[in-house]
Amino acid sequence: MDGSPGTAGKAPGTTGGATGTTGGAAPGASGRAPVGEAASLPVPGRADPLRVWFVREGGGGYALCSAARCVPAAPGAAGGLASGGSVVAYGPAPGQAALVTARTLSGEPVAGTFHRPPGAPMAVWTVTYAADAGVRRVEVCDALGRVLARVDTVQAEPRAR
């Protein structure tokens, strides 16, 4: 866990360095060694970030894990963390992903961002929104606006205090 910046090849709208990545991750919920470095996702109102990382699944696929659980690294998969009045939704981003947006129940867009941990097999998208706004869906799109992945439900784990 060297905490190195890891900003090589960083695309616009991504994070790296102290707020975006850290050295290797503990196996946590998965019990398996991480592939690449962990991403440290900012959580509003909290000093400690949400750490997520990829692990290899049987059959050559990947899963995206946090200390609480793992979700398949497949289009439409997502996790979430509720903290105070906010929810941080996250999921695996396909290679061509350039834009991530959530739509609240009232139709308002909430822009997200991408985190590209060094050595990880893919990026991680995040969208942070007010818990009382509710989200109808999250869409991950390519640079031309084509939908690559759609998430209709985000299961947010409550943040341990």
Side-chain angles (χ1 to χ4, degrees):
M1 295 180 54
D2 64 5
S4 62
T7 57
K10 193 171 87 167
T14 65
T15 62
T19 61
T21 62
T22 61
S30 72
R32 291 169 281 174
V35 177
E37 294 185 21
S40 294
L41 311 179
V43 178
R46 302 287 301 203
D48 58 322
L50 169 63
R51 290 174 43 101
V52 298
W53 59 91
F54 290 94
V55 297
R56 197 170 297 282
E57 293 270 273
Y62 295 96
L64 179 59
C65 298
S66 70
R69 65 180 170 166
C70 295
V71 296
L81 177 71
S83 179
S86 298
V87 173
V88 178
Y90 63 89
Q96 308 84 2
L99 177 69
V100 59
T101 306
R103 290 279 173 191
T104 65
L105 295 176
S106 66
E108 295 297 315
V110 179
T113 191
F114 295 95
H115 308 264
R116 301 185 192 281
M122 61 193 74
V124 177
W125 59 261
T126 59
V127 178
T128 302
Y129 55 91
D132 60 358
V135 163
R136 179 180 320 207
R137 71 179 171 274
V138 177
E139 291 182 336
V140 180
C141 300
D142 66 12
L144 299 176
R146 293 180 294 221
V147 176
L148 302 172
R150 177 174 285 129
V151 177
D152 293 318
T153 303
V154 174
Q155 299 277 334
E157 299 290 329
R159 179 72 170 198
R161 298 210 181 259

